[in-house]
Amino acid sequence: MLAPMQLSDEELERYARHIVLAEIGGPGQQKLKRARVLVVGAGGLGAPLLQYLAAAGVGTLGIVDDDDVALSNLQRQVIHDTDAVGTAKIDSAAEAIRRINPHVEVEPYPFRIDADNAPGLVCGYDVIADGSDNFATRYAVADACAAWRRPLVTAAVGRFDGSITTLMPYETGTGGRRNPGYRDLFPGAPPDGTLPTCAEAGILGALTGVIGSMMALEVIKLIADVGEPLVGRLMLFDALSMRVETIGY
């Protein structure tokens, strides 16, 4: 059993609204401080996800992203600002995290994650959160998480809709049935060119804030061991109608 990590007086005040929650309390906040979370992508979903995980006091945040901040990103990627245009997203995100919470350590990875390097990355973290925008990355991350028995929170967004689930295929659910994995949801990637890119189709900026915040909630629940994560369930969100549907799979 790991020894609890002592919270300073400043941290006790910073996280006071967590600590008064009976479901989290001091022990839960210590778990957050001790936790290591790898975030894949510092874009639309990764931006609010990183902000809320930093504010929540997650002790170490790994960030994987090989892109630079562009002016067209700022409509939705709220962790970056105008002064960051042209700089690496991981550097911009790390600087923002330091401003949000100096108690959080950032581990930057300025490259694209793939099937070769994914196992070596995910094995060093407790929870993985994937906000990438392509199937090749999603498969690579999901396969590595399944092999290393790491919980994976994965989400995607379209023009006005989003989806999120939590994957733990190395465990069994109700009835002794193996929890589903990413390849159970998506056995094969759609052919190249089938799905329009964000630049081609557009996206409602605030939508990424909603789904990215949901990802942060799932990660915090997993670390603090509270509530019921979306294992075996896919949450679908329609921003135009403000409807949420959760389906089992």
Short mmCIF file of all heavy atoms in Angstrom, two decimals, residues 188-216:
data_model
loop_
_atom_site.label_atom_id
_atom_site.label_comp_id
_atom_site.label_asym_id
_atom_site.label_seq_id
_atom_site.Cartn_x
_atom_site.Cartn_y
_atom_site.Cartn_z
N GLY A 188 -12.76 -1.83 -37.29
CA GLY A 188 -11.88 -1.35 -38.34
C GLY A 188 -12.08 0.12 -38.57
O GLY A 188 -13.18 0.65 -38.40
N ALA A 189 -11.00 0.79 -38.93
CA ALA A 189 -11.08 2.23 -39.20
C ALA A 189 -11.80 2.47 -40.52
O ALA A 189 -11.70 1.67 -41.44
CB ALA A 189 -9.69 2.83 -39.25
N PRO A 190 -12.54 3.56 -40.64
CA PRO A 190 -13.17 3.89 -41.93
C PRO A 190 -12.11 4.17 -42.97
O PRO A 190 -11.00 4.60 -42.64
CB PRO A 190 -14.01 5.13 -41.60
CG PRO A 190 -13.36 5.73 -40.40
CD PRO A 190 -12.82 4.58 -39.61
N PRO A 191 -12.40 3.92 -44.24
CA PRO A 191 -11.42 4.18 -45.30
C PRO A 191 -10.96 5.64 -45.29
O PRO A 191 -11.71 6.54 -44.90
CB PRO A 191 -12.19 3.85 -46.58
CG PRO A 191 -13.31 2.95 -46.15
CD PRO A 191 -13.67 3.39 -44.77
N ASP A 192 -9.72 5.84 -45.69
CA ASP A 192 -9.17 7.19 -45.76
C ASP A 192 -10.05 8.08 -46.64
O ASP A 192 -10.48 7.66 -47.72
CB ASP A 192 -7.76 7.16 -46.33
CG ASP A 192 -6.76 6.52 -45.38
OD1 ASP A 192 -7.08 6.43 -44.19
OD2 ASP A 192 -5.68 6.11 -45.84
N GLY A 193 -10.31 9.28 -46.16
CA GLY A 193 -11.11 10.22 -46.92
C GLY A 193 -12.60 10.12 -46.68
O GLY A 193 -13.37 10.96 -47.17
N THR A 194 -13.02 9.10 -45.90
CA THR A 194 -14.46 8.93 -45.63
C THR A 194 -14.98 10.01 -44.70
O THR A 194 -16.07 10.56 -44.91
CB THR A 194 -14.73 7.55 -45.01
OG1 THR A 194 -14.24 6.54 -45.89
CG2 THR A 194 -16.22 7.34 -44.78
N LEU A 195 -14.21 10.30 -43.66
CA LEU A 195 -14.62 11.29 -42.67
C LEU A 195 -13.93 12.62 -42.96
O LEU A 195 -12.70 12.66 -43.14
CB LEU A 195 -14.27 10.83 -41.26
CG LEU A 195 -14.93 9.52 -40.80
CD1 LEU A 195 -14.41 9.14 -39.42
CD2 LEU A 195 -16.43 9.64 -40.79
N PRO A 196 -14.68 13.72 -42.99
CA PRO A 196 -14.05 15.03 -43.23
C PRO A 196 -13.22 15.46 -42.04
O PRO A 196 -13.48 15.08 -40.89
CB PRO A 196 -15.26 15.95 -43.43
CG PRO A 196 -16.36 15.30 -42.66
CD PRO A 196 -16.14 13.82 -42.82
N THR A 197 -12.20 16.22 -42.30
CA THR A 197 -11.38 16.75 -41.22
C THR A 197 -12.11 17.89 -40.53
O THR A 197 -13.11 18.41 -41.02
CB THR A 197 -10.03 17.27 -41.76
OG1 THR A 197 -10.29 18.39 -42.61
CG2 THR A 197 -9.31 16.19 -42.54
N CYS A 198 -11.58 18.29 -39.38
CA CYS A 198 -12.16 19.43 -38.65
C CYS A 198 -12.14 20.69 -39.51
O CYS A 198 -13.09 21.47 -39.52
CB CYS A 198 -11.38 19.63 -37.36
SG CYS A 198 -11.94 21.02 -36.35
N ALA A 199 -11.05 20.88 -40.27
CA ALA A 199 -10.94 22.06 -41.12
C ALA A 199 -11.98 22.04 -42.22
O ALA A 199 -12.49 23.08 -42.65
CB ALA A 199 -9.54 22.15 -41.72
N GLU A 200 -12.34 20.84 -42.70
CA GLU A 200 -13.31 20.71 -43.78
C GLU A 200 -14.75 20.84 -43.29
O GLU A 200 -15.59 21.47 -43.92
CB GLU A 200 -13.13 19.37 -44.48
CG GLU A 200 -11.81 19.22 -45.22
CD GLU A 200 -11.53 17.80 -45.65
OE1 GLU A 200 -12.11 16.86 -45.05
OE2 GLU A 200 -10.73 17.61 -46.59
N ALA A 201 -15.04 20.21 -42.14
CA ALA A 201 -16.42 20.14 -41.67
C ALA A 201 -16.77 21.23 -40.67
O ALA A 201 -17.93 21.60 -40.53
CB ALA A 201 -16.68 18.77 -41.03
N GLY A 202 -15.77 21.74 -39.96
CA GLY A 202 -16.04 22.70 -38.90
C GLY A 202 -16.40 22.01 -37.59
O GLY A 202 -16.68 20.81 -37.57
N ILE A 203 -16.41 22.77 -36.51
CA ILE A 203 -16.77 22.22 -35.20
C ILE A 203 -17.17 23.37 -34.28
O ILE A 203 -16.59 24.45 -34.33
CB ILE A 203 -15.61 21.41 -34.59
CG1 ILE A 203 -16.05 20.71 -33.30
CG2 ILE A 203 -14.38 22.29 -34.35
CD1 ILE A 203 -15.07 19.68 -32.79
N LEU A 204 -18.19 23.14 -33.49
CA LEU A 204 -18.64 24.13 -32.51
C LEU A 204 -17.63 24.15 -31.36
O LEU A 204 -17.42 23.13 -30.69
CB LEU A 204 -20.03 23.75 -32.01
CG LEU A 204 -20.72 24.75 -31.08
CD1 LEU A 204 -21.00 26.06 -31.80
CD2 LEU A 204 -22.01 24.16 -30.54
N GLY A 205 -17.02 25.29 -31.13
CA GLY A 205 -15.92 25.37 -30.18
C GLY A 205 -16.26 24.90 -28.78
O GLY A 205 -15.52 24.13 -28.16
N ALA A 206 -17.38 25.35 -28.25
CA ALA A 206 -17.75 25.02 -26.87
C ALA A 206 -18.02 23.53 -26.68
O ALA A 206 -17.96 23.02 -25.56
CB ALA A 206 -18.96 25.83 -26.44
N LEU A 207 -18.33 22.82 -27.79
CA LEU A 207 -18.58 21.38 -27.69
C LEU A 207 -17.37 20.65 -27.12
O LEU A 207 -17.51 19.74 -26.30
CB LEU A 207 -18.92 20.82 -29.07
CG LEU A 207 -18.99 19.30 -29.20
CD1 LEU A 207 -20.14 18.73 -28.40
CD2 LEU A 207 -19.11 18.91 -30.68
N THR A 208 -16.16 21.04 -27.56
CA THR A 208 -14.97 20.37 -27.06
C THR A 208 -14.78 20.61 -25.56
O THR A 208 -14.24 19.77 -24.85
CB THR A 208 -13.71 20.83 -27.81
OG1 THR A 208 -13.55 22.25 -27.63
CG2 THR A 208 -13.83 20.52 -29.30
N GLY A 209 -15.26 21.77 -25.09
CA GLY A 209 -15.19 22.04 -23.65
C GLY A 209 -16.09 21.10 -22.85
O GLY A 209 -15.71 20.64 -21.78
N VAL A 210 -17.27 20.81 -23.40
CA VAL A 210 -18.20 19.91 -22.72
C VAL A 210 -17.62 18.51 -22.64
O VAL A 210 -17.56 17.89 -21.57
CB VAL A 210 -19.56 19.90 -23.45
CG1 VAL A 210 -20.48 18.83 -22.86
CG2 VAL A 210 -20.22 21.26 -23.37
N ILE A 211 -17.19 17.97 -23.79
CA ILE A 211 -16.70 16.60 -23.82
C ILE A 211 -15.36 16.47 -23.10
O ILE A 211 -15.12 15.50 -22.37
CB ILE A 211 -16.59 16.09 -25.27
CG1 ILE A 211 -17.93 16.24 -25.99
CG2 ILE A 211 -16.13 14.64 -25.30
CD1 ILE A 211 -19.07 15.46 -25.35
N GLY A 212 -14.47 17.46 -23.27
CA GLY A 212 -13.20 17.43 -22.55
C GLY A 212 -13.39 17.47 -21.04
O GLY A 212 -12.66 16.81 -20.30
N SER A 213 -14.37 18.23 -20.58
CA SER A 213 -14.66 18.27 -19.14
C SER A 213 -15.21 16.94 -18.66
O SER A 213 -14.92 16.50 -17.53
CB SER A 213 -15.65 19.40 -18.84
OG SER A 213 -15.10 20.66 -19.15
N MET A 214 -16.02 16.29 -19.50
CA MET A 214 -16.50 14.95 -19.14
C MET A 214 -15.34 13.96 -19.02
O MET A 214 -15.34 13.10 -18.13
CB MET A 214 -17.49 14.45 -20.20
CG MET A 214 -18.84 15.14 -20.19
SD MET A 214 -19.93 14.43 -21.45
CE MET A 214 -21.43 15.38 -21.17
N MET A 215 -14.35 14.10 -19.88
CA MET A 215 -13.17 13.25 -19.78
C MET A 215 -12.46 13.47 -18.44
O MET A 215 -12.04 12.51 -17.79
CB MET A 215 -12.21 13.54 -20.93
CG MET A 215 -12.73 13.16 -22.30
SD MET A 215 -11.55 13.58 -23.63
CE MET A 215 -10.31 12.28 -23.39
N ALA A 216 -12.33 14.73 -18.05
CA ALA A 216 -11.70 15.03 -16.76
C ALA A 216 -12.47 14.41 -15.61
O ALA A 216 -11.88 13.88 -14.66
CB ALA A 216 -11.58 16.55 -16.57
#
